[in-house]
Amino acid sequence: MKIQYFLGTALAVLFLAACNSEPSVQHQMENYQIIPLPQNIAPGIGYFELNAATKIDFDEAIPELGLSADYLSAWLESKGLGINAAEAGKQFITLRIKEDLAAAAYILTITQKGILLQGGSPEGVFYGMQSLLQLIQQQYATAFPIDLPCVHIEDEPAFAYRGMHLDVGRHFFPVDFIKKYIDLLARYKMNRFHWHLTEDQGWRIEIKQYPKLQEVAAFRKETLIGHYNDTPQKYDGTPYGGYYTQEEVKDVVKYAQERFITIIPEIEMPGHAQAALAAYPELSCGGGPIETATKWGVFDEVYCPTEATFTFLENVLTEVMDLFPSEYIHIGGDECPKTKWKESAFCQQLIKEKNLKDEHGLQSYFIRRMETFLNENGRQIIGWDEILEGGLAPNATVMSWRGEKGGIDAAKQGHDVIMSPTSHCYLDYYQFQHPDEPLAIGGYLPIEKVYSYHPIPEELTEQEAAYIKGVQGNLWTEYVATPEKAEYMAFPRGLAIAEIGWTKNTNKDFEHFIKRLEQHLKWLERENVNAANPLYHVDATVLKNDAGVLSVSFDNLSKSKNIRYTTDGAAPTAESSAYVAPIPLTASGIYTGQAFAEGKPLGRSASITYNQHLASNGVLTLGNAPSPKYNAGGPQAVINGIKGSDEKYGDKEWLGFEGDDFEATIDLQEKKDLQEVQLRFFNGPGQWIYPPKTVEIYAGESPENLALVKTQQVKAGNGKIVSPKINLQGQNTRYLKIVVPNYGLIPEGLQGGGNRAWLFIDEIVLL
Ligand code: ACM
């Protein structure tokens, strides 16, 4: 090993010297469009010519290095660029282990004489190979020779765990797609694939000891169409299902291993188990009959913590462990309603017998038992952050999804953490605001927000921060039925996840990322990946200055394209006014911006419909703060004369309050005669969003001295928007206060039952 190390260093010195002795072009950083951004790039001089006679040389004593060699050869071959080893050329791509590097680190040196790729381990070499491949694809090569710009790159990952998840329960994805997904992860140096294999709507892994999992649990009789919140809910009437055979699973595991990706299988328990319970209803508390779920959500039917259930799950996990070498097995643990456990005499007796506090204690008992079993078999568990409730199992790793709190608590308790908060990592959320966007679960998560995420919460000390092992992007597939749509949702936001996980936070730079992304989107298109293109879509932002004056700004991520706009609702053309600065909103109208290149529209336009009203230039002060997750436009957005989407509550107009009341005091700047106030609330019980039951209006001459003018009941119908109108009968006032008490606790038996409801408001219209 020592010999290779010296050999590697000697080669590096030799190659650099060779490069410098033949000076030609001094390269700039643009020539190295690598994602994730390497820690250190030193541009070189001149080019290395990659051609059919280039030979890949690696130490045969380390067969794993062959994986990188094979990966490069196969990739080139797939482009019709076969390297012909038999020609035994003089130019080498040399793969070496350099023992003083960290295992995942690599050094890639491209000189005019050759390429030297050194890694701390075969894994590090593989990552360096991905950088090399990205440099090759940047040349858009279709024929040899390919000129690669000389460079010296020193690189290593910021986090050990860099993952992407895929839910194959809600929709089933073929093995070919799983491999394509794994390939994309590998290309962006991600090293964990979290394969979410079991759900209420389908069980997707063959378990030989339990054939009904294949015959019953893998199928459902039909599927919800449209959105869960649509009323009435509609179904397609078509049976749906499928599962991976154990042979297929082994093949996929091997495929991932060859790309240094560990597959973490998830077998959900005790909740999200309705499909398994449809097959084996005796494992439920009530005994069934139970059907595989046909719509989305959280279901009351969960495993009953009987010995029969534990035996079943241990047998299932034994087969799972045989298939997956991963040290970590994900056991779910999220969203387990306790309804059936509360009703069950058996569960209540067990709580007493085991001296548990309540049903949360019972969930903790469940998870601990499964952890003990897996630990005895040399494995560790990962669970969603609900596994903190009722006490964390001793060795568990927590996957923090309902925000960062679970991760923070776990790290403070000395447990490993993977960060995957909905706010930044849920790739099933909308990525664009445009009304034509294909149906998604809800929320709004543009790529810039994903990119802004740093997995280490500020609350943690350095010692606690060491428990944060990394970050993961999640792709739930309730509204993702095809590989094409999965690609559209996962990429390029997944590339932002890759960079968060790999690149040091201090080196991250969104504008630079966007420039590199422009190259990568072209490459992804050539590779038939249906990635979304966020670069040219125009985004409209409404601004309000200190004097209450509103304006609209248009922007797009790629600063290189010019934007034209109209104010009359017409589609902008290349001849429309050029956008240079925010446009004052002095009159009601439809303001539309569109990017153009070479006279042609590029990406989507953005429109705002401005309806001036008596509060639109007012100044608003809030009582309770909105949730940081649903506050994109800031508090002033609720009086800015612009309504939010009628379909989606994640845009810049909606404000979301998690369990809190809404209280706003509006300073109209002068006394005005008020006839009516109209309010707009979102109604989305499937997402725990409820309109209020009443609203109260106060008025007066100072914010400290306001009197109740009106209390009005609010009636929710079936629609997504609830818009009460409150008659103010010519009230003359400068200050108006609007108090909207939260709906309160969601009734048991409904989605989110027992939790406080969310309250969403997007506009207060004052006439
Ligand atoms: C989750 O999104 N239920 C983990």
Side-chain angles (χ1 to χ4, degrees), residues 165-181 193 195-197 204 220 240-244 248 252 475-489:
H165 149 286
L166 183 68
D167 164 17
V168 296
R170 273 57 177 262
H171 284 102
F172 179 68
F173 293 85
V175 166
D176 280 355
F177 175 70
I178 301 296
K179 288 183 173 174
K180 188 177 178 187
Y181 196 73
F193 170 47
W195 204 0
H196 183 82
L197 285 163
R204 305 286 175 227
R220 58 181 179 249
Y240 182 94
Y243 63 91
Y244 305 104
E248 286 172 326
V252 170
L475 185 55
W476 300 100
T477 60
E478 287 94 332
Y479 301 93
V480 180
T482 63
E484 292 71 32
K485 189 153 177 200
E487 289 168 12
Y488 181 81
M489 299 304 280

Side-chain angles (χ1 to χ4, degrees), residues 691-708:
K693 294 171 185 154
T694 58
V695 297
E696 296 158 17
I697 312 291
Y698 298 78
E701 287 324 297
S702 75
E704 296 78 32
N705 195 6
L706 299 169
L708 181 66

Side-chain angles (χ1 to χ4, degrees), residues 197-198 203-218 243-247 249 265-267 276 279-280 303 311-324:
L197 285 163
T198 71
W203 181 285
R204 305 286 175 227
I205 176 170
E206 179 188 24
I207 300 295
K208 294 199 190 280
Q209 199 173 335
Y210 296 103
K212 281 196 278 182
L213 291 175
Q214 286 72 255
E215 292 154 17
V216 177
Y243 63 91
Y244 305 104
T245 65
Q246 294 204 349
E247 285 311 305
V249 169
E266 180 179 356
I267 305 296
Y280 297 98
Y303 290 113
T311 302
F312 167 82
L313 288 171
E314 288 176 11
N315 289 338
V316 165
L317 288 173
T318 299
E319 292 194 33
V320 167
M321 285 188 284
D322 283 346
L323 293 168
F324 293 93

Side-chain angles (χ1 to χ4, degrees), residues 43 97 254 297 463 562 593 611 736 753:
I97 298 295
K254 178 167 175 284
Q463 212 172 12
N562 79 68
N611 285 306
L736 201 68

Side-chain angles (χ1 to χ4, degrees), residues 350-394:
L350 191 60
I351 287 173
K352 278 207 199 92
E353 231 171 69
K354 301 286 175 195
N355 213 7
L356 306 171
K357 195 156 159 268
D358 53 14
E359 290 76 20
H360 290 297
L362 190 51
Q363 155 131 348
S364 174
Y365 162 80
F366 197 117
I367 300 293
R368 282 169 197 256
R369 269 196 68 158
M370 297 318 299
E371 179 182 74
T372 303
F373 172 74
L374 286 165
N375 286 173
E376 282 166 3
N377 285 278
R379 306 300 177 99
Q380 299 291 329
I381 66 163
I382 303 182
W384 300 108
D385 56 55
E386 285 93 331
I387 67 170
L388 281 149
E389 292 164 7
L392 204 44

Side-chain angles (χ1 to χ4, degrees), residues 272-564:
H272 286 297
Q274 192 165 308
L277 297 174
Y280 297 98
E282 61 273 25
L283 305 179
S284 72
C285 284
I290 295 168
E291 280 190 343
T292 305
T294 57
K295 65 177 175 186
W296 321 126
V298 172
F299 297 87
D300 282 344
E301 289 294 357
V302 302
Y303 290 113
C304 206
T306 59
E307 289 310 307
T309 292
F310 290 118
T311 302
F312 167 82
L313 288 171
E314 288 176 11
N315 289 338
V316 165
L317 288 173
T318 299
E319 292 194 33
V320 167
M321 285 188 284
D322 283 346
L323 293 168
F324 293 93
S326 166
E327 184 187 357
Y328 288 87
I329 307 281
H330 203 304
I331 47 74
D334 61 319
E335 298 181 318
C336 176
K338 308 297 187 288
T339 321
K340 298 286 176 185
W341 291 0
K342 280 186 185 146
E343 291 166 1
S344 150
F346 169 81
C347 292
Q348 295 308 312
Q349 180 59 30
L350 191 60
I351 287 173
K352 278 207 199 92
E353 231 171 69
K354 301 286 175 195
N355 213 7
L356 306 171
K357 195 156 159 268
D358 53 14
E359 290 76 20
H360 290 297
L362 190 51
Q363 155 131 348
S364 174
Y365 162 80
F366 197 117
I367 300 293
R368 282 169 197 256
R369 269 196 68 158
M370 297 318 299
E371 179 182 74
T372 303
F373 172 74
L374 286 165
N375 286 173
E376 282 166 3
N377 285 278
R379 306 300 177 99
Q380 299 291 329
I381 66 163
I382 303 182
W384 300 108
D385 56 55
E386 285 93 331
I387 67 170
L388 281 149
E389 292 164 7
L392 204 44
N395 307 310
T397 294
V398 171
M399 193 166 266
S400 192
W401 73 280
R402 296 176 299 176
E404 292 190 305
K405 186 173 179 306
I408 292 167
D409 290 350
K412 285 186 186 291
Q413 293 177 36
H415 285 255
D416 284 350
V417 172
I418 313 301
M419 282 296 188
S420 191
T422 53
S423 56
H424 293 81
C425 297
Y426 267 45
L427 307 182
D428 57 336
Y429 284 18
Y430 284 102
Q431 56 193 318
F432 305 119
Q433 307 254 13
H434 199 276
D436 291 349
E437 205 38 31
L439 187 67
I441 195 161
Y444 175 49
L445 180 56
I447 193 167
E448 54 270 38
K449 187 162 180 196
V450 178
Y451 193 87
S452 72
Y453 188 57
H454 180 43
I456 307 276
E458 280 169 9
E459 291 89 329
L460 297 183
T461 63
E462 208 176 309
Q463 212 172 12
E464 290 161 350
Y467 290 107
I468 310 290
K469 295 302 169 196
V471 62
Q472 179 174 288
N474 291 342
L475 185 55
W476 300 100
T477 60
E478 287 94 332
Y479 301 93
V480 180
T482 63
E484 292 71 32
K485 189 153 177 200
E487 289 168 12
Y488 181 81
M489 299 304 280
F491 304 106
R493 288 183 293 181
L495 275 58
I497 298 277
E499 188 143 314
I500 296 168
W502 182 280
T503 305
K504 282 201 186 84
N505 194 41
T506 45
N507 288 345
K508 275 168 53 192
D509 176 339
F510 184 63
E511 270 186 40
H512 191 231
F513 173 74
I514 285 298
K515 287 209 179 97
R516 282 174 284 133
L517 185 58
E518 203 147 12
Q519 291 274 350
H520 282 259
L521 287 175
K522 288 181 198 155
W523 170 75
L524 289 167
E525 194 180 340
R526 291 205 316 272
E527 299 274 308
N528 294 319
V529 178
N530 184 39
N533 185 337
L535 297 177
Y536 313 120
H537 295 335
V538 170
D539 192 28
T541 306
V542 176
L543 311 166
K544 185 177 256 184
N545 70 14
D546 290 344
V549 177
L550 291 164
S551 59
V552 58
S553 85
F554 292 120
D555 199 4
N556 61 3
L557 294 180
S558 167
K559 308 288 176 199
S560 59
K561 305 298 183 285
N562 79 68
I563 295 174
R564 305 269 163 174

